[in-house]
Amino acid sequence: MSAGFHFEIPALAAGINVKPLHYKKALTTNHNLDFFEVHAENFMGAGGPPLRWLEGFKAQYPLSFHGVCLSIGGRDDLDRDHLARLAVLIDRYEPTLVSEHLAWSNDHDFFINDLLPPPLTETALQRICDHVDLVQTRLKREILIENPSHYLRLDGNEIPEPEFLNALARRTGCGLLLDINNVFVSACNIDFDADDYINAIDVESVKEIHLAGHAIDQFEDEIIRVDNHSDHVCIAVLQLFRKFIYRSGPVPTLIEWDTNVPTFETLAAEAAMAKQIIRVAIEQERFHESV
Amino acid sequence: MNQCDQETDTRIYAGLSAAIKSLAPVDKFDRALGSKTAVAAGLMVYRNNVRAAYLRVLSETFPVVQKLVGEKFFRYMAHEYFHAHLPSSRLVIQYGEALPGFIEHFEPVSHLPYLAEVARLELAWLSAYHAAEADSLNEVNLLALIESVPESAKFSVHPSVRLLSSDYPVHTIWRHNQDSAAERLRLPDTGEAVVIVRPDHRVLTSTISPGVHACMFAIVSGASFREGLEAAVETEPTAPLANVIREIATSRVITGVIA
């Protein structure tokens, strides 16, 4: 599938999801960031400053559009109007990457505005494949699908999530966006082995990685990790990241930080650290191959 | 779909969205495995995430309303609003559109009759901020245009133009609260008419006379320039027309002539 973007993102690349308070620094200062990601839904107005900023990004950097509202994992038909809005945005700003979630955010008349995991059944898989097919046909390009965070061990799942995602990628030709913080948070919350999950993902499908920090909350005597992108990436997540990269080779990696957003410099340093981990992992892999 | 999957579908989609909407005790949720506390904790995360996300939308849309009532009360009002207007649109930015009407009937703020008007102004500001781009005429170009076209000509207006007319000094209240260190305010005892426009990257707001408001309102509604001026005279018979024309010309609301 061909995409009309005008910038490649090199495999060894690190970026951030950029927030309005950092637009100016991102565009006018020297930094080491290779690409920027934005939530597509924040640019669906008819005009105004957000779109003017986006023009600036388009002129200078590869862009990644991360959608949060399509509800691809839902049981309802896709919202054609929303898809049309996304298509207009993509035509105009030619992002290098476009991603969405293995999640639903809408059910019938309720727009929940959160990313809820779908049932992992054959029926749901077929429906989600149809949704992804429709999106890729409408957008005339490949999209990436991100693994969700879990807070509940939902009853009735039949297919392990990595297998579900691999099948989705195989059947539709979509790529995967592996959010390693989501894997870790979910593994802790609903009790599975994060290493097994990471190892089960088909590396050739993964076209982007997300890293983020999370919060540790408590409800009565229950510890729960909340994927609120509020902190540095934790060590356990970085270790999983290194293990995955060791297996996959370099993959464009993005730092997400949405709550208690730090300075632009802190974000750039976090991205630089991720890039350094990738470099070291590649070196180690080469070393092991040579001996 | 086989019956087992159908059941799973209903259990997960209908069950979880109902449990997120609901305020019923979390330990009643039976769609997830694990200890009662684990299920309750997980469900609480979803309930909090959803309400917090919508609260954030409202506080970003209505910073002055939030300042006027205080953060704590605003959170309570947002919670009540969420349950009265369950969100249905993917355009989350529009979530607050019913808030002014909600405030009007929200008993705990019935002693703040201007609050709904301030909310309307904030909504208008936001929609001007996101409105389509267009080039508006400056004073010199518009005055030249007025000279060169018949009085029956109709003008096109900038897509970001929003007009408000209130029984309360709504613009003075709003502007005063942009500045956190502002001193005690002496409010005018009249209402205010306001024009909002974003001719460039910045949203401009200004108080206008009732005559200018009537004229702009007529033009925005598709009347000719002459009809606009007639509306100004009718609303404000004592206002010199030259002043009305000058105010319109400096406002940057006009983009050209409709052919």
Side-chain angles (χ1 to χ4, degrees):
Chain A
M1 226 173 283
S2 78
F5 54 82
H6 61 287
F7 278 126
E8 293 283 351
I9 300 179
L12 178 61
I16 60 167
N17 72 326
V18 64
K19 313 298 276 184
L21 81 152
H22 296 322
Y23 287 168
K24 197 171 170 190
K25 271 208 168 153
L27 288 177
T28 60
T29 63
N30 283 325
H31 54 68
N32 49 17
L33 296 164
D34 302 300
F35 70 109
F36 290 97
E37 187 162 282
V38 292
H39 284 185
E41 279 76 8
N42 291 340
F43 299 88
M44 287 184 175
L51 294 175
R52 288 169 179 234
W53 282 112
L54 205 51
E55 290 287 351
F57 280 103
K58 178 191 169 185
Q60 291 188 49
Y61 292 99
L63 276 170
S64 168
F65 281 1
H66 194 44
V68 291
C69 294
L70 263 181
S71 202
I72 282 177
R75 59 173 165 165
D76 302 325
D77 288 343
L78 289 184
D79 181 328
R80 304 285 177 133
D81 294 341
H82 195 76
L83 192 51
R85 286 190 286 267
L86 187 59
V88 167
L89 210 57
I90 287 168
D91 276 351
R92 189 165 161 193
Y93 296 97
E94 302 172 338
T96 310
L97 299 173
V98 174
S99 52
E100 250 289 351
H101 298 81
L102 177 69
W104 50 290
S105 46
N106 188 80
D107 196 52
H108 298 354
D109 290 335
F110 182 26
F111 184 67
I112 307 166
N113 197 18
D114 197 6
L115 297 162
L116 306 162
L120 301 174
T121 60
E122 184 52 44
T123 304
L125 177 57
Q126 192 47 56
R127 183 171 47 213
I128 294 168
C129 284
D130 292 345
H131 286 170
V132 170
D133 279 339
L134 183 69
V135 173
Q136 295 192 128
T137 306
R138 180 71 177 80
L139 301 180
K140 300 189 196 73
R141 57 171 299 149
E142 172 193 71
I143 62 165
L144 315 183
I145 296 292
E146 176 179 341
N147 55 300
S149 296
H150 292 268
Y151 304 105
L152 289 171
R153 199 138 55 89
L154 294 170
D155 193 9
N157 286 343
E158 295 158 2
I159 308 170
E161 193 171 278
E163 225 175 273
F164 194 96
L165 285 163
N166 290 341
L168 182 62
R170 217 168 35 239
R171 291 191 203 175
T172 66
C174 77
L176 298 179
L177 193 178
L178 181 63
D179 188 314
I180 297 186
N181 182 58
N182 289 358
V183 173
F184 178 72
V185 160
S186 305
C188 297
N189 288 340
I190 64 167
D191 199 20
F192 62 80
D193 189 309
D195 283 288
D196 289 351
Y197 188 112
I198 297 280
N199 287 331
I201 291 283
D202 285 342
V203 286
E204 59 279 8
S205 297
V206 178
K207 308 283 174 65
E208 187 186 348
I209 289 177
H210 272 180
L211 297 175
H214 61 264
I216 301 178
D217 218 339
Q218 188 166 358
F219 181 81
E220 292 174 16
D221 59 349
E222 196 70 33
I223 298 290
I224 191 149
R225 288 176 193 258
V226 182
D227 169 38
N228 62 355
H229 306 164
S230 62
D231 208 338
H232 291 278
V233 185
C234 78
I235 299 293
V237 169
L238 290 178
Q239 283 166 344
L240 286 169
F241 172 55
R242 190 177 53 79
K243 279 181 200 163
F244 184 79
I245 288 293
Y246 189 79
R247 201 158 65 84
S248 69
V251 177
T253 298
L254 187 107
I255 303 293
E256 288 183 297
W257 202 320
D258 294 296
T259 314
N260 308 323
V261 179
T263 61
F264 181 73
E265 290 73 15
T266 303
L267 289 166
E270 197 86 349
M273 174 199 61
K275 205 165 162 180
Q276 187 56 24
I277 291 175
I278 303 173
R279 277 199 201 97
V280 171
I282 306 167
E283 286 304 314
Q284 283 176 340
E285 211 241 333
R286 282 198 193 123
F287 175 75
H288 281 286
E289 273 178 3
S290 68
V291 290
Chain B
M1 198 190 295
N2 71 44
Q3 205 186 342
C4 171
D5 276 2
Q6 178 98 56
E7 253 179 59
T8 304
D9 252 26
T10 312
R11 282 168 82 83
I12 292 185
Y13 292 108
L16 190 52
S17 62
I20 289 171
K21 252 184 252 183
S22 157
L23 293 169
V26 280
D27 57 358
K28 294 278 188 286
F29 184 70
D30 63 354
R31 317 292 185 194
L33 308 169
S35 75
K36 258 193 168 169
T37 355
V39 172
L43 195 53
M44 282 306 289
V45 172
Y46 286 125
R47 283 187 178 177
N48 291 342
N49 277 356
V50 171
R51 284 164 183 80
Y54 280 116
L55 169 63
R56 206 158 45 239
V57 175
L58 291 187
S59 36
E60 283 167 9
T61 312
F62 303 101
V64 172
V65 170
Q66 175 166 289
K67 201 174 164 201
L68 289 169
V69 300
E71 236 174 82
K72 208 170 160 189
F73 182 84
F74 190 81
R75 201 180 321 136
Y76 161 68
M77 188 162 75
H79 183 267
E80 296 296 304
Y81 179 71
F82 175 83
H83 288 281
H85 291 262
L86 277 177
S88 61
S89 170
R90 277 167 171 78
L91 293 173
V92 172
I93 204 152
Q94 295 172 354
Y95 171 62
E97 277 177 1
L99 192 74
F102 176 82
I103 289 175
E104 266 171 5
H105 299 104
F106 193 47
E107 210 281 320
V109 289
S110 56
H111 62 297
L112 305 175
Y114 54 83
L115 197 63
E117 302 281 272
V118 174
R120 279 196 184 94
L121 197 158
E122 296 201 283
L123 267 185
W125 190 97
L126 188 71
S127 88
Y129 182 82
H130 289 291
E133 306 283 345
D135 292 321
S136 61
L137 298 174
N138 63 23
E139 185 180 2
V140 175
N141 291 342
L142 180 62
L143 290 175
L145 181 70
I146 291 172
E147 288 294 311
S148 69
V149 295
E151 280 194 328
S152 60
K154 290 182 176 184
F155 290 147
S156 53
V157 294
H158 195 279
S160 67
V161 170
R162 305 289 180 269
L163 291 164
L164 267 96
S165 172
S166 173
D167 292 339
Y168 299 94
V170 63
H171 186 248
T172 305
I173 295 170
W174 178 82
R175 208 184 41 202
H176 182 77
N177 282 284
Q178 301 299 309
D179 176 4
S180 54
E183 288 178 8
R184 214 178 153 78
L185 177 67
R186 190 180 292 271
L187 280 175
D189 58 2
T190 56
E192 278 174 354
V194 186
V195 61
I196 301 174
V197 62
R198 199 203 73 243
D200 207 335
H201 62 284
R202 266 185 54 218
V203 177
L204 310 176
T205 68
S206 34
T207 310
I208 46 177
S209 67
V212 171
H213 179 269
C215 180
M216 284 184 182
F217 190 81
I219 292 172
V220 168
S221 313
S224 67
F225 187 54
R226 187 182 57 219
E227 288 163 332
L229 292 178
E230 284 164 7
V233 174
E234 201 175 304
T235 310
E236 212 179 346
T238 55
L241 269 188
N243 290 3
V244 173
I245 293 172
R246 192 169 349 98
E247 263 197 74
I248 303 255
T250 55
S251 69
R252 303 193 62 189
V253 303
I254 307 290
T255 54
V257 161
I258 299 174

